């Protein structure tokens, strides 16, 4: 009775009178219990407030808070070494606050930039972050990796912000690389920087790429060992000292050709030469194919690691390497053998090099080039690929490669003008266009004609944007919208072309200009332009403007893998998409109809001709099958089967 009157047991008691309490446990065991993953940061905080013993066990620099940090954000531990004296409690707080800041910024982007591309100053909040950038990036990655089909708008803008952040860091690294002495500019590192900039969301790092190259080099050494066990390239410090004997160098190159082209099956990509993946070094290593310059960078890097000095040759139409057979540093082009890494390491004479491209070239094209010139040619290849097509993907490649080129040559008037025309053509960043044009005018006053034209039209674009009164709101209940059968978020199928798409906008009649209507032969449709038209995101990544009579409900609705899906929708339910807040403001009455349509179609039998309010006769009163009709120009009647990005190509000629 006396024990009961003494009150409840304290934290050091066993709870029953004679057992061992938590604070009586050895320190290591106590830490092990406190590191249990069922405890959260708040639990650790409360535990540390109970007594001195537990406060000491949960000290900010101790194992408990480090483990809490690791369990919550495991990918961040790579930024710390075991020798660092780190306050893990403070790091936990900083990462938590960075996460809140990232969420705030991502949430604000949709409201601020729904109606336009994110402007060049739209990332100003991010450039002045008050937290470590890797904490901010980690939160963005957490958003992107959210499971399920929700949070699409958050993922869309998190991706854009992460793209911007990483590209800014890569540009800084590239500029630092270019400022180094030439002998410290690794060709492989330069290729990785280009690869990273064009693929900022991919996990590409120099260390990983170098490890793969080292693995190939080790394979070459094994082959070399079977041919010549005493070869100097087998020494532990091989590569630091060049091999002087030509015959020993030849043995290295023979072993390289055996490993690369016979064992590993590397080859030039003749069948898909103009695929941009051929230019990215990490893809060359994965796919074991590439173009002359990317395969040459790989070949040269391996050779130098084995003590053979090969040099890059900016040969027209076909990048080559040269191998000195005479006196080192010779200026006589006939003292060199030329190596075609694209052609399985074939060794060529000067005359054979000319046969390779089909015409004679002067001696200057056989000279060695610097690492900066190699990067210039790699970026130039990507620029040309970006000009080949008018798709969103090509425009992004063109933007990225222009950024890289101008980072190396910031005063190149030709490429500055191309950048200004590109932004003008895409209708983005008009303020930056004016800055670029001002810079061009200062560099080359003779460009005043082209500059003046773009300045005038850019200023008109800015004025039109200022006059915009806000988003147009479309109510289905309006009399003028009574013929609109389909609603926002429905998964549709094109009757003729069979593509799957999702509706993200509609008009009661075709709103395109007369020229567009004529070019697309819209008048050949039974209802011509006087019927509802729909903005749709297509599974191939394009955006199209489709006539109502050409669309039908999809019997097997599926997700649409379009890069802009999150700009308009917040969630995919499995049967339809839910408009995000900004899109719902513009079409406030569509959600109810979308849900009713989905309920009607997918919960009962379905006849495609009666899947909307209009009848078959309404859609085609003549009783003809519309695709049997042809316009006077001989074109098949179709809706806007033209990607919106392909309105014009003349700016990119």
């Amino acid at each position: 009775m006396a024990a009961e009157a003494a009150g409840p047991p304290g934290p050091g008691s066993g709870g029953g009178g004679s057992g061992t309490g938590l604070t009586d446990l050895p320190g290591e065991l106590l830490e092990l219990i406190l590191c249990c993953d069922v405890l959260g940061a708040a639990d650790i905080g409360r535990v540390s407030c109970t007594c001195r013993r537990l406060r000491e066990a949960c000290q900010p620099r101790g194992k408990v808070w480090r483990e809490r940090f690791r369990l919550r954000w495991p990918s961040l531990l790579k930024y710390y070494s075991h020798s660092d004296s780190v306050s893990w409690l403070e790091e936990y707080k900083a990462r938590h606050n960075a996460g809140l800041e990232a969420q705030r910024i991502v949430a604000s982007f949709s409201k601020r930039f729904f109606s336009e591309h994110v402007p060049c100053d739209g990332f100003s909040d991010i450039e002045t972050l008050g937290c470590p950038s890797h904490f901010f990036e980690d939160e963005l990655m957490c958003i992107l990796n959210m499971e399920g089909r929700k949070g699409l708008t958050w993922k869309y803008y998190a991706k854009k912000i992460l793209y911007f952040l990483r590209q800014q860091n890569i540009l800084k690294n590239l500029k630092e690389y270019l400022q180094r002495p030439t002998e410290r500019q690794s060709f492989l590192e330069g290729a990785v920087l280009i690869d990273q900039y064009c693929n900022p969301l991919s996990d590409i790092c120099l260390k990983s790429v170098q490890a793969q190259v080292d693995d190939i080099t080790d394979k070459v050494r094994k082959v070399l060992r079977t041919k010549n066990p005493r070869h100097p390239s087998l020494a532990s410090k091989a590569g630091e000292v060049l091999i002087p004997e030509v015959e020993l160098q030849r043995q290295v190159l023979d072993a390289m050709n055996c490993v690369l082209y016979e064992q590993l099956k590397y080859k030039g990509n003749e069948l898909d030469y103009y695929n941009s993946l051929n230019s990215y070094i990490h893809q060359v290593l994965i796919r074991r194919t590439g173009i002359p310059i990317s395969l040459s960078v790989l070949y040269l890097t391996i050779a130098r690691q084995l003590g053979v000095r090969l040099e890059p040759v900016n040969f027209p139409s076909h990048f080559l390497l040269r191998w000195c057979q005479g006196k080192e540093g010779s200026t006589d082009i006939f003292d060199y053998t030329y190596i075609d890494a694209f052609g399985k390491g074939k060794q060529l004479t000067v005359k054979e090099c000319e046969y390779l491209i089909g015409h004679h070239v002067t001696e200057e094209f056989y000279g060695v080039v610097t690492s900066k010139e190699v990067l210039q040619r790699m970026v130039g290849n990507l620029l040309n690929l970006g000009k080949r097509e008018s798709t969103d993907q090509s425009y992004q490649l063109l933007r990225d490669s222009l950024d890289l080129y101008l980072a190396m040559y910031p005063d190149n008037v030709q490429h500055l003008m191309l950048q200004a025309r590109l932004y003008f053509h895409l209708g983005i960043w008009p303020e930056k266009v004016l800055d670029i044009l001002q810079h061009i005018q200062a560099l080359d006053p003779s460009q005043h004609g082209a500059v003046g034209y773009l300045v005038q039209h850019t200023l008109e674009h800015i004025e039109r944007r200022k006059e915009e009164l806000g988003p147009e709101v479309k109510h289905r209940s309006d009399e003028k919208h009574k013929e609109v059968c389909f609603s926002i978020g429905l998964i549709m199928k094109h009757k003729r072309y069979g593509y799957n798409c999702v509706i993200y906008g509609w008009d009661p009649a075709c709103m395109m200009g007369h020229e567009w209507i004529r070019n697309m032969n819209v008048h050949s449709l039974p209802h011509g332009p006087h019927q509802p038209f729909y903005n749709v995101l297509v599974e191939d990544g394009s955006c199209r403007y489709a006539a109502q009579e050409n669309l039908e409900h999809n019997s097997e609705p599926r997700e649409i893998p379009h890069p802009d899906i999150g700009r308009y929708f917040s969630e995919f339910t499995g049967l339809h998409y839910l408009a995000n807040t900004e899109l719902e403001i513009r079409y406030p009455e569509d959600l109810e109809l979308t849900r009713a349509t989905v309920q009607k179609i997918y919960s009962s039998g379905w006849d495609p001709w009666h899947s909307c309010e209009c009848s078959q006769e309404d859609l085609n009163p003549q009783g003809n099958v519309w695709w049997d009709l042809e316009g006077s120009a001989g074109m098949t009647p179709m809706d806007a089967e033209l990607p919106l990005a392909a309105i014009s190509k003349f700016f990119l000629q």
Side-chain angles (χ1 to χ4, degrees):
M1 294 294 290
E4 293 176 0
S13 75
S18 60
T20 302
L22 182 63
T23 56
D24 297 324
L25 296 173
E28 291 184 4
L29 184 55
L30 183 57
E31 282 186 344
L32 183 64
I33 294 172
L34 293 173
C35 288
C36 178
D37 58 8
V38 299
L39 297 177
D43 298 321
I44 300 301
R46 285 191 289 269
V47 166
S48 64
C49 295
T50 57
C51 67
R52 180 184 299 176
R53 177 82 169 90
L54 292 174
R55 184 166 62 250
E56 291 173 352
C58 301
Q59 60 175 304
R61 298 180 183 275
K63 181 179 178 181
V64 173
W65 276 111
R66 184 185 187 281
E67 183 64 10
R68 192 57 39 213
F69 187 91
R70 184 193 71 80
L71 290 171
R72 184 68 181 83
W73 302 292
S75 63
L76 291 177
L77 283 186
K78 63 185 177 184
Y79 294 100
Y80 306 92
S81 69
H82 288 288
S83 60
D84 290 341
S85 178
V86 178
S87 173
W88 294 104
L89 174 58
E90 293 305 314
E91 292 296 286
Y92 193 101
K93 291 178 180 178
R95 171 59 183 85
H96 175 74
N97 291 333
L100 295 178
E101 181 68 4
Q103 292 174 25
R104 182 191 66 79
I105 291 176
V106 170
S108 73
F109 263 54
S110 183
K111 183 177 182 179
R112 293 161 61 193
F113 306 124
F114 177 81
S115 299
E116 60 177 337
H117 286 270
V118 180
C120 54
D121 60 352
F123 298 102
S124 56
D125 291 352
I126 302 165
E127 292 176 312
T128 56
L129 286 173
C131 62
S133 61
H134 60 282
F135 283 178
F136 192 87
E137 285 192 25
D138 188 66
E139 182 63 28
L140 295 176
M141 286 302 302
C142 289
I143 293 173
L144 287 174
N145 293 330
M146 285 191 303
E147 295 183 3
R149 299 160 171 176
K150 297 184 178 181
L152 299 181
T153 300
W154 274 52
K155 292 177 181 178
Y156 175 78
Y157 287 104
K159 184 176 181 179
K160 283 193 171 297
I161 296 169
L162 189 61
Y163 203 99
F164 169 81
L165 278 176
R166 290 191 173 175
Q167 283 196 327
Q168 291 302 106
N169 288 332
I170 295 162
L171 272 187
K172 291 178 185 176
N173 294 337
L174 176 61
K175 291 174 181 177
E176 185 273 329
Y177 169 90
L178 294 171
Q179 290 172 356
R180 295 182 206 159
T182 304
E183 63 273 12
R184 291 184 53 228
Q185 292 178 347
S186 154
F187 293 99
L188 185 67
E189 183 179 357
V192 168
L193 286 168
I194 291 174
D195 192 346
Q196 288 175 326
Y197 193 82
C198 294
N199 303 282
L201 300 182
S202 299
D203 187 14
I204 305 165
C205 67
L206 178 60
K207 184 178 179 181
S208 172
V209 171
Q210 183 65 62
Q212 294 177 71
V213 174
D214 291 343
D215 184 58
I216 298 174
T217 304
D218 289 340
K219 287 181 170 62
V220 175
R221 286 197 177 98
K222 289 180 181 179
V223 172
L224 200 55
R225 186 174 287 109
T226 64
K227 305 291 184 181
N228 184 355
R230 294 178 177 272
H231 197 285
S233 291
L234 302 177
S236 58
K237 293 186 178 181
E240 295 181 9
V241 179
L242 295 177
I243 301 170
E245 295 85 357
V246 172
E247 182 54 36
L248 292 175
Q249 293 179 18
R250 188 184 306 280
Q251 292 176 10
V252 171
L253 297 181
D254 289 344
M256 284 176 55
N257 290 343
C258 175
V259 170
L260 281 171
Y261 303 112
E262 295 178 23
Q263 293 184 10
L264 300 179
K265 306 299 182 184
Y266 275 80
K267 62 180 179 180
N269 196 346
E270 296 179 348
L271 297 178
D272 194 14
Y273 191 87
Y274 295 103
N275 189 329
S276 61
L277 298 181
N278 294 325
S279 295
Y280 303 139
I281 193 66
H282 89 282
Q283 288 289 348
V284 171
L285 290 165
I286 291 171
R287 300 162 72 236
R288 300 187 181 183
T289 189
I291 53 176
I293 192 168
S294 57
L295 289 170
S296 292
V297 168
L298 176 61
Y299 197 99
L300 176 150
T301 302
I302 296 171
R304 290 194 172 189
Q305 290 185 184
L306 293 168
V308 179
R309 181 176 176 80
L310 301 182
E311 297 173 305
V313 177
N314 214 3
F315 204 67
S317 305
H318 199 105
F319 199 87
L320 296 172
L321 300 170
R322 74 179 192 181
W323 170 34
C324 186
Q325 304 288 289
K327 183 179 179 181
E328 186 178 349
S330 171
T331 57
D332 187 347
I333 64 173
F334 294 97
D335 282 343
Y336 294 88
T337 292
Y338 298 88
I339 297 175
D340 180 12
F342 186 82
K344 298 187 176 182
K346 184 177 181 180
Q347 297 175 9
L348 308 170
T349 64
V350 170
K351 184 60 67 176
E352 288 172 330
C353 290
E354 294 181 351
Y355 289 151
L356 185 66
I357 61 173
H359 61 85
H360 173 72
V361 295
T362 57
E363 289 192 7
E364 63 181 299
F365 290 104
Y366 291 91
V368 67
V369 290
T370 65
S371 54
K372 184 177 181 180
E373 290 169 316
V374 172
L375 297 192
Q376 177 186 350
R377 180 151 173 175
M378 296 182 82
V379 172
N381 288 337
L382 293 171
L383 268 170
N384 291 330
L385 291 176
K387 294 178 186 178
R388 286 174 64 87
E389 299 178 10
S390 295
T391 64
D392 289 343
Q393 187 176 6
S394 294
Y395 287 140
Q396 186 62 59
L397 178 59
L398 191 54
R399 288 171 61 182
D400 291 342
S401 49
L402 277 171
D403 288 344
L404 288 167
Y405 197 98
L406 291 170
M408 294 187 285
Y409 303 97
D411 295 333
N412 185 288
V413 171
Q414 177 186 355
H415 289 84
L416 283 168
M417 183 63 78
L418 178 58
Q419 188 178 58
R421 285 174 171 168
L422 175 64
Y423 291 160
F424 176 81
H425 168 64
L426 296 177
I428 61 174
W429 298 359
E431 291 82 6
K432 186 169 184 177
V433 171
L434 293 178
D435 290 341
I436 296 170
L437 294 173
Q438 185 178 16
H439 186 42
I440 293 172
Q441 187 66 33
L443 291 170
D444 185 1
S446 68
Q447 298 286 333
H448 63 87
V451 168
Y453 173 85
L454 287 175
V455 166
Q456 176 185 346
H457 286 80
T458 302
L459 290 173
E460 290 174 359
H461 171 71
I462 292 173
E463 287 302 315
R464 286 195 301 270
R465 192 175 63 180
K466 290 179 180 177
E467 293 171 1
E468 292 176 357
L469 300 177
E472 179 186 3
V473 178
K474 296 180 180 179
H475 294 275
R476 304 191 67 87
S477 54
D478 287 355
E479 180 66 21
K480 61 182 178 180
H481 297 152
K482 66 178 182 179
E483 300 298 327
V484 179
C485 295
F486 307 129
S487 53
I488 300 298
L490 288 176
I491 310 296
M492 310 299 291
K493 195 176 189 70
H494 196 278
K495 294 178 181 178
R496 176 176 175 82
Y497 298 110
Y499 62 69
N500 300 304
C501 59
V502 57
I503 296 172
Y504 71 96
W506 50 258
D507 297 308
C510 182
M511 301 300 291
M512 301 299 282
H514 295 295
E515 183 178 356
W516 184 91
I517 291 174
R518 183 177 65 254
N519 290 340
M520 301 310 300
N521 211 23
V522 173
H523 285 293
S524 296
L525 291 169
H527 283 76
H530 307 297
Q531 62 175 308
F533 271 69
Y534 297 85
N535 300 103
V536 294
L537 300 177
V538 184
E539 58 190 344
D540 65 1
S542 63
C543 305
R544 307 195 184 193
Y545 196 48
Q548 179 164 279
E549 63 188 87
N550 289 342
L551 295 177
E552 63 182 0
H553 293 296
N554 198 315
S555 60
E556 297 179 353
R558 65 190 72 174
E559 284 189 85
I560 304 298
H562 193 284
D564 284 344
I565 201 78
R567 181 177 180 182
Y568 304 101
F569 301 103
S570 60
E571 180 183 347
F572 179 61
T573 67
L575 295 175
H576 67 96
Y577 280 91
L578 290 178
N580 61 21
T581 302
E582 284 65 44
L583 188 61
E584 192 172 2
I585 289 173
R586 288 155 175 78
Y587 299 91
E589 298 173 356
D590 273 43
L591 179 58
E592 183 179 351
L593 178 61
T594 297
R595 286 174 170 162
T597 302
V598 168
Q599 177 69 21
K600 176 182 177 182
I601 292 175
Y602 302 118
S603 63
S604 60
W606 176 56
D607 177 355
W609 282 113
H610 297 88
S611 60
C612 71
E613 298 169 7
C614 306
S615 67
Q616 180 177 353
E617 290 71 29
D618 290 333
L619 288 174
N620 195 345
Q622 289 80 19
N624 297 320
V625 180
W626 74 265
W627 53 80
D628 286 339
L629 301 176
E630 289 190 353
S632 58
M635 296 174 62
T636 302
M638 53 184 202
D639 52 22
E641 302 309 322
L642 178 72
L644 297 184
I647 297 171
S648 167
K649 291 181 69 176
F650 78 93
F651 286 115
L652 304 180
Q653 299 303 314

